[in-house]
């Protein structure tokens, strides 16, 4: 999964593209490149490494002039990260230059055919094959670039978001999309292309998100022309006025995007239930549910498909839906679900959860579920994302852009949305009393202020982090609603600090993990005062008797656990079903501070990408 940026207009392209690439680095950052047309020739620089490496290489090796250009930050899929395999890629003639996010699955077959026709390849990438296929079609069919791209793309199998231009026709850029995101920013006499809106939001908030199998010929001074790649049918651009603004992108006062996003959770949760949660009227308004409520109420079961943190949010939803709405729920790793030939019927409702809306496994699970008749509902954070478009209906979390690779506000806003859905269905089903319903509604409305209070533990968490930053292993324990939070806390720690961490149901400890407990093992135990509190206290005693180091997340005012644990971090009291929204906060902060103290790259942890758009 990579980041692509392009510009054609009246400004100098270089600064726009370079800054845009920096904003997209979360999508992939093992190599980067840029190509600029200076009115006479294409000047191209590319390198293994980060965008900052590209910046210094470009500024010391090529002319930076020109009002047409494309840039790319890579997450390798074909060909190891090195200068040659970095994008952009030239065609053999040097006339065409392309950037690509995605995978061309049949590139080897095409490469063989092109080699027979005398094409040579300097890289191991599928992208270089694609640009030469376009060149071959352009020559053989004697057509313009747009048509050549269309014909070529009908010969490839795979996923792509591409931008390509011809130095002999420098007043246009051709873009196309299938399976990978591509947005076009529409300015005054200028156009921007990017994987998401962050590179151009400071210039324009008018954007067109290409749909799958769409391509656009972007010509200066002209309206963009959209085409369906398969049948050349005209597609009409849906211009969206984006609400996202720049400061949402920039780190603001925080050292890292992750910390900024942890602190954004009160507002993100509020934005997510805004307009949906109407406590005074005692209603929950969600168009995607309202219009299809029967599908949910008559569902034989709800199957949740997701990956990573989104899967943990799905696990929380399992507890909420079954506890409140009495609807059977199964939570599946999308990567397993898509391949295990699952039993799916038209009585099933599938909820797909994805922050990026581009996770390949989740997208594939959705397609499978739809093929087998299920009704699929999406919970995504990115407007216009592939998953948002592939599902029958959905609800957006309004968390705003989540740049840090480690998901934080996405998790709590997903739980918010899922809580609203469960509550709505519970009310429709008469699954519990009006008073309980209103109690939960009004408590949900209080959650943002309680998250603010939970965030006040930051300094205490930082002190605790200092003590455990050099641990080799860590155990997270929780029961009931907080078992998924234990899993999520462990994932946070391992993915950004590289400390091995495992989450477990607290009662499972005696079935094995207790053998791990010694003075070197920090154990984080979620011990809020509801949900089997006494059982968790006895688990804490078992750990203590084996000299484990205990960091307990407790309800404010708790005295009993304070007597037993080495450290206690308080969160405000709330209803059991809403505790995950609070107990996850100190765990996010703990992983953040430990990672910073270990000198890790918190926003771009090694080996990870923000959205896994390939298998
Ligand atoms: C979580 O911190 C990770 N970034 C990762 O597990 C992520 O949740 C997973 O890749 C799913 O991404 P999605 O929500 O965009 O589908």
């Amino acid at each position: 999964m990579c980041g692509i940026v392009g510009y054609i207009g009246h400004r100098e392209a270089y600064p726009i593209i370079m800054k845009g690439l920096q904003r997209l680095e979360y999508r992939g950052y093992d190599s980067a490149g840029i190509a600029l047309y200076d009115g006479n020739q294409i000047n191209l620089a590319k390198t293994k490494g980060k965008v900052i490496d590209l910046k210094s290489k470009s500024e010391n090796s090529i002319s930076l002039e020109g009002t047409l250009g494309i840039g790319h930050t890579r997450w390798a899929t074909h060909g190891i990260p090195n200068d040659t395999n970095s994008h952009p890629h030239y065609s053999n003639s040097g006339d065409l230059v392309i950037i690509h996010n995605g995978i061309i699955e049949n590139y080897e077959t095409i490469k063989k055919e092109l080699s027979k026709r005398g094409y040579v390849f300097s890289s191991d990438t599928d992208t270089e094959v694609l640009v030469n296929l376009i060149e071959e079609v352009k020559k053989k069919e004697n057509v313009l670039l747009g048509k050549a791209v269309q014909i070529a793309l009908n010969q490839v199998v795979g996923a792509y978001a591409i931008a390509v231009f011809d130095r002999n026709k420098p007043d246009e850029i051709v873009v196309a999309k299938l399976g990978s995101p591509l947005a076009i920013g529409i300015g005054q006499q200028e156009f921007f292309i990017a994987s998401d809106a962050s590179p151009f939001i400071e210039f324009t908030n008018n954007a067109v998100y290409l749909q799958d199998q769409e391509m656009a010929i972007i010509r200066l001074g002209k309206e963009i022309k959209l085409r369906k790649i398969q049948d050349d049918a005209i597609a009409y651009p849906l211009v969206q006025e984006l609400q996202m603004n720049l400061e949402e992108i920039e780190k603001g006062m925080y050292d890292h995007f992750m910390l900024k996003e942890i602190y954004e959770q009160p507002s993100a949760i509020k934005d997510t239930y805004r307009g949906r949660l109407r406590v005074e009227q005692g209603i929950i308004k969600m168009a995607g549910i309202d219009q299809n409520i029967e599908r949910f109420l008559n569902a034989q079961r709800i199957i949740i498909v997701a990956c990573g943190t989104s899967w943990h949010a799905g696990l929380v939803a399992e507890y909420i839906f079954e506890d409140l709405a009495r609807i059977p729920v199964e939570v599946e790793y999308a990567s397993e679900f898509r391949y295990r030939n699952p039993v799916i019927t038209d009585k099933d409702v599938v909820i797909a959860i994805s922050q990026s809306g581009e996770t390949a496994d989740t997208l594939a699970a959705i397609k499978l579920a739809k093929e087998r008749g299920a009704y699929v509902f999406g919970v995504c954070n990115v407007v216009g994302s592939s998953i948002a478009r592939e599902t029958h209906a959905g609800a957006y979390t309004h968390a705003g852009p989540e740049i840090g690779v480690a998901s934080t506000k996405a998790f709590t806003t997903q739980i918010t949305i899922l809580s609203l859905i469960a509550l709505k269905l519970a009310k429709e089903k008469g699954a519990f009393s009006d008073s309980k319903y209103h109690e939960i509604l009004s408590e949900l409305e209080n959650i943002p202020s309680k998250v603010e209070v939970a965030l006040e533990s930051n300094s205490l968490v930082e002190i605790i982090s200092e003590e455990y930053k050099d641990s080799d292993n860590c155990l997270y324990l929780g029961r009931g609603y907080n078992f998924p939070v234990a899993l999520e806390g462990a994932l946070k720690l391992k993915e950004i600090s590289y400390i091995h961490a495992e989450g477990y149901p607290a009662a499972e400890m005696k079935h094995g993990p207790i053998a791990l407990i010694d003075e070197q093992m920090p154990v984080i135990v979620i011990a809020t005062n509801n949900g089997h509190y006494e059982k968790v206290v006895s688990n804490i005693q078992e750990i203590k008797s084996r000299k484990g180091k205990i960091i307990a997340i407790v309800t404010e005012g708790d005295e009993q656990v304070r007597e037993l644990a080495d450290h206690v971090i308080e969160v405000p009291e709330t209803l059991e079903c809403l505790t995950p929204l609070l107990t996850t906060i100190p765990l996010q902060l703990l992983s953040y501070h430990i990672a910073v103290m270990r000198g890790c790259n918190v926003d771009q942890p090694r080996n990870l990408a923000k959205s896994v758009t390939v298998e």
Side-chain angles (χ1 to χ4, degrees), residues 45 100 107 127 139 146-147 152 169 188 224 227 231 233 298 304 373-374 379 407 412 444 540 551 567 595 600 605 611:
H100 167 222
Y107 81 100
T127 308
K139 282 180 179 162
K147 194 66 189 163
K169 198 157 177 8
Q188 297 296 327
I224 49 176
R227 283 271 188 282
D231 56 18
N298 301 330
I304 295 176
V379 176
S407 245
T412 46
L444 184 54
I540 290 175
I551 303 166
H567 310 277
C600 298
S611 159

Side-chain angles (χ1 to χ4, degrees), residues 214-245:
E214 280 184 352
M215 62 179 288
I217 298 169
I218 300 173
R219 261 196 211 108
L220 269 185
K222 297 245 190 338
E223 293 291 307
I224 49 176
K225 276 169 46 183
L226 260 58
R227 283 271 188 282
K228 282 290 180 194
I229 293 165
Q230 283 154 326
D231 56 18
D232 205 24
I234 293 179
Y236 294 95
L238 170 66
V239 181
Q240 298 184 38
E241 193 177 340
L242 301 177
Q243 302 312 317
M244 181 164 81
N245 43 43

Side-chain angles (χ1 to χ4, degrees), residues 7 12-15 17-18 34-39 41-45 58 62-71 88 90 97 165:
Y7 178 77
E12 285 301 297
Y14 174 76
I17 292 171
M18 199 52 76
I34 188 167
L36 300 162
Y37 181 75
D38 65 5
Q41 64 179 32
I42 296 173
N43 299 302
L44 185 149
S58 306
I62 61 169
S63 156
L64 304 178
E65 287 171 18
T67 58
L68 164 63
I70 54 178
Y90 279 115
V97 65
F165 70 82

